[in-house]
Amino acid sequence: DNNGLVLDFATDAVEPAASDYEPLPDGTYQAAISKAEVRDTRDGSGKRLVVHCKVLGPTHVGRVVIAGLNVVNKNPKAQEIARRQLAQLLRAVDAPGERDMATLIERELEIVVVVKPEQNGYPASNDIKRFLPCKAVSPTGPAPAKKAPSFMR
């Protein structure tokens, strides 16, 4: 008895799946935040915000690029870098100062992606270098500067 492990269809005529693990080429992609969660760091001494950005275009639609931000870390430099990245991400999705990461889901932004070369036995992967506001949000460019109130002029 094969316990139902025999498939009732042939796979020899099916195109094999392309690897989803090939890194995306360096570039700027439109994306939406599809998931955000806080996890303990490997050694348990800190917190890491893991943000999944699903690509909306112009190419590689549907692929996900993950940013891991060490927002609580015993290394003050690592923590400072992560918090600056988080501030950049929050401004990109027009939520400066937001503390509830659940509110970021489905927010759109642009991500500047680079390929991290293979190292220490890990294959090449992507890294998000910058989080930018969507160009689509303001097609005419930046909003005009607000005038100072008359009593300040």
Side-chain angles (χ1 to χ4, degrees):
D1 185 7
N2 61 18
N3 294 327
L5 294 177
V6 175
L7 302 176
D8 64 354
F9 59 91
T11 57
D12 50 353
V14 177
E15 188 65 34
S19 171
D20 280 345
Y21 300 107
E22 286 295 310
L24 272 60
D26 290 1
T28 301
Y29 297 87
Q30 289 115 26
I33 296 172
S34 58
K35 184 176 180 182
E37 60 187 346
V38 177
R39 299 181 186 161
D40 290 332
T41 53
R42 277 194 196 110
D43 68 5
S45 69
K47 296 287 181 192
R48 186 171 171 82
L49 173 64
V50 180
V51 179
H52 295 235
C53 296
K54 190 171 193 172
V55 175
L56 303 176
T59 61
H60 298 84
V61 175
R63 288 285 304 275
V64 174
V65 183
I66 299 172
L69 309 179
N70 293 307
V71 290
V72 178
N73 195 286
K74 58 188 171 193
N75 176 334
K77 188 70 179 165
Q79 179 174 292
E80 179 191 352
I81 290 167
R83 289 183 179 190
R84 286 174 177 266
Q85 290 172 312
L86 177 57
Q88 186 183 69
L89 179 146
L90 292 173
R91 283 179 179 85
V93 296
D94 197 28
E98 180 59 63
R99 296 177 72 160
D100 181 357
M101 297 300 102
T103 65
L104 304 182
I105 305 305
E106 296 186 15
R107 299 270 189 117
E108 294 186 11
L109 70 165
E110 290 189 358
I111 53 176
V112 178
V113 173
V114 296
V115 176
K116 272 193 320 193
E118 183 178 331
Q119 63 182 0
N120 302 326
Y122 290 100
S125 61
N126 284 124
D127 200 11
I128 299 176
K129 280 294 176 203
R130 294 198 61 205
F131 300 96
L132 303 167
C134 283
K135 288 184 181 77
V137 172
S138 61
T140 57
K146 290 189 172 105
K147 289 195 169 127
S150 56
F151 66 85
M152 293 181 73
R153 283 189 215 133

